[in-house]
Amino acid sequence: GGGGQQQRRQPQGRPQVTQAAGTGFIISAKDGLILTNNHVVEDATKIQVSFYGDDPDVSYLAKVVGRDQLTDRSLIELTEKPKRELIDVKFGDSEQMQPGDWVMAIGNPFGLAHTVSVGVISATERPFPITDGRSQDVLQTDAAINPGNSGGPLLNVRGEVIGINTAIYTDSRQAGNIGIGFAIPINTVRELLPQLRVGKVTRGVIGVA
């Protein structure tokens, strides 16, 4: 299951409106660039971003710059910018993470903006299927991740981003956290950033199994 939270409402006589909530983080305040999950903004007709410290009703418009469906990444750009200074995240080295390392997740679970949860790395290089014949090694954590956390950062003890929270494992009786969450390693995402900045990610395919 993904971490995106969706609400649907269908007023009588009007087209159906779908609202999705997720999380992102600033990688370039100068350029207004924000990383998030692709499934948070995919097919959106309007993207609105709110920041910590602002009034909950204040938001700023953004547009999609580039996205990669296979790693569920999307780079968005603010088309409206707040007057106050924004701060870039600091990237860590996800390859240095080991089971038992403390981590912190920040997100928007169930619309509860700027929620912080703490846990450890439960496993590294956990194969996660992304399409037929392809899988992505991800970080597993027991830091609480719920619908709405998608696209949010997973931080190490130095406050550096080492992963992007992407999915949760759950059972048929629960829709929320049961202590098994997955994050795309930030090293994987950093490798894709130059291509995301120009709009799309291109990969080679070989027909051997």
Side-chain angles (χ1 to χ4, degrees), residues 32-111:
L33 295 176
I34 296 170
L35 267 176
T36 186
N37 279 151
N38 183 57
H39 77 258
V40 171
V41 296
E42 190 171 27
D43 299 326
T45 55
K46 185 177 184 181
I47 301 172
Q48 295 173 286
V49 178
S50 59
F51 294 101
Y52 180 76
D54 284 348
D55 188 291
D57 295 328
V58 175
S59 62
Y60 304 90
L61 293 176
K63 66 177 182 180
V64 173
V65 174
R67 60 189 186 184
D68 177 39
Q69 291 178 313
L70 283 184
T71 58
D72 197 17
R73 297 280 62 77
S74 187
L75 184 65
I76 65 175
E77 178 185 353
L78 293 170
T79 55
E80 294 179 332
K81 296 182 182 179
K83 294 180 180 178
R84 65 183 179 86
E85 183 182 6
L86 300 175
I87 300 174
D88 297 356
V89 300
K90 293 181 179 179
F91 290 121
D93 184 356
S94 52
E95 291 185 6
Q96 297 299 314
M97 302 305 293
Q98 298 293 327
D101 286 346
W102 287 98
V103 288
M104 176 187 298
I106 303 176
N108 184 31
F110 303 109

Side-chain angles (χ1 to χ4, degrees), residues 63 75 121-122 161 181:
K63 66 177 182 180
L75 184 65
I121 293 292
S122 304
V161 178

Side-chain angles (χ1 to χ4, degrees), residues 125-189:
E125 299 181 356
R126 185 75 80 191
F128 191 82
I130 53 177
T131 188
D132 290 343
R134 281 188 185 265
S135 64
Q136 166 71 53
D137 286 345
V138 298
L139 300 170
Q140 180 185 328
T141 182
D142 66 352
I145 297 172
N146 284 291
N149 271 106
S150 270
L154 190 66
L155 310 168
N156 62 19
V157 292
R158 292 182 293 276
E160 300 165 337
V161 178
I162 51 86
I164 303 182
N165 302 318
T166 295
I168 57 175
Y169 183 91
T170 188
D171 58 28
S172 59
R173 294 170 295 174
Q174 292 181 286
N177 172 67
I178 59 172
I180 303 176
F182 302 105
I184 301 290
I186 201 63
N187 289 18
T188 299
V189 178

